[in-house]
Amino acid sequence: MKNIVILGSTGSVGKQVLEVIRAHPRKYEVVGIAAKDKTSELTSQIKEFKPRVVVLEENGQKSLEKLVSYPWVDSVVVAIPGTVALGATLKAIEKKKRIFLATKEVLVAAGPLINKAFKKYKIQLLPLDSEHSAIFQCLQGEDKRTVKKIILTCSGGPFRNWGKEDLKKVKKEQVLSHPVWKMGPKIAVDSATLMNKGFEVLEAHYLFGLPLEKIEVLIHPEGVIHSMVEFNDGTIKALLSRPDMKLPIQYALFYPQRPKNPWKNLDLAEIKNLSFQKPDIKTFPCLNYAYLAGKIGGTMPAAINFADEIAVEMFLEDKIIFCDIPKIIEKILKTHKPIFNPSLRKILMVKDCVRDKLK
Ligand code: MG
């Protein structure tokens, strides 16, 4: 039995982690959970898994850091959206816990800082995001120097093939119903603007240590191929499975073993066709903003991450329309003065700078 802590247990990923744990009894004991609010969901999780410690996010970063630091904790799932879990992630690395990472912001906002910590404490990070899990799996047994490029696949979101004019009429409800994946509201908006894919490009850049020029995005609406790696000899390895977060979660939790899964598997004959197209970055510029921010480096990726966080919040509160989201991010990309080699404190301070600029 391994002792696991789940940061973000009532979120979409957290709940699916618990489903995987439930499906494989006697492998993990849930010793700690952290959630945003005291909900009935949390109460039933406490009843079922009987964790030793429960933390509410409102108790602050320090209590999250304490939770991951207990000596009896082996592994930590980081699945709290935003940068709330950044300090706790660094703490968990320092304490040499095995990390299962779902929170994109950890690498997007603090990639170099996190990578430095991983090198120093020599521990492994296993990605839970389907795309990064796919790349991780395609790279097994391969020499990274032979990678020509990574091809991140993308469903295209609910407005794939829409024009710029159509996007002005987008309603919130249309954004919140993703065609392929089950997800929370922030990531649903990010998937519709393609900002999510932009963040995944940055995540892959830090996670696999590859230059941005070697990371490409390809629209693949069926969501069957979760990403690909092209090698120097022209061979492309792809990972196919049903679009279900529980599969990459199970892969990470059991790595390097592959136990049977109790869920439905992929039936290619039922799917029949797989299609691909290039992303339309004129209509969905957020994808491009991620590349630009990544090239600039320093605190620029963190700045666009915060700009997006604020813009999505405003959109969900009906303060702006869908098409305003990329405009807000572009404004920050043009005006933020990046700090290079920032500390965690400096990274978190960028949020206030961005908020002031957007007032
Ligand atoms: Mg993803």
Side-chain angles (χ1 to χ4, degrees), residues 190 192-199 280-292 304 308 322 325-327 329-330 333:
D190 285 344
T193 58
L194 297 202
M195 191 70 253
N196 179 57
K197 206 48 59 176
F199 289 150
D280 172 5
I281 54 165
K282 281 218 168 85
T283 314
F284 299 95
C286 290
L287 180 58
N288 205 27
Y289 296 158
Y291 279 97
L292 292 172
I304 67 155
D308 176 63
F322 184 73
I325 299 173
K327 288 181 196 156
I329 296 163
E330 190 189 13
L333 191 62

Side-chain angles (χ1 to χ4, degrees), residues 104 128-132 152-153 181 183 187 191 196-197 200 203 226 245:
K104 295 195 167 73
L128 297 186
D129 208 351
S130 62
E131 292 80 358
H132 303 85
L152 275 175
T153 51
W181 295 93
M183 52 174 69
I187 193 162
S191 295
N196 179 57
K197 206 48 59 176
E200 286 180 356
E203 227 185 325
H226 299 298
M245 273 302 290

Side-chain angles (χ1 to χ4, degrees), residues 235-256:
T235 301
I236 298 178
K237 272 169 115 178
L239 185 125
L240 290 77
S241 73
R242 225 161 36 77
D244 181 343
M245 273 302 290
K246 294 197 289 300
L247 300 176
I249 290 170
Q250 176 174 304
Y251 178 79
L253 260 54
F254 288 83
Y255 176 80

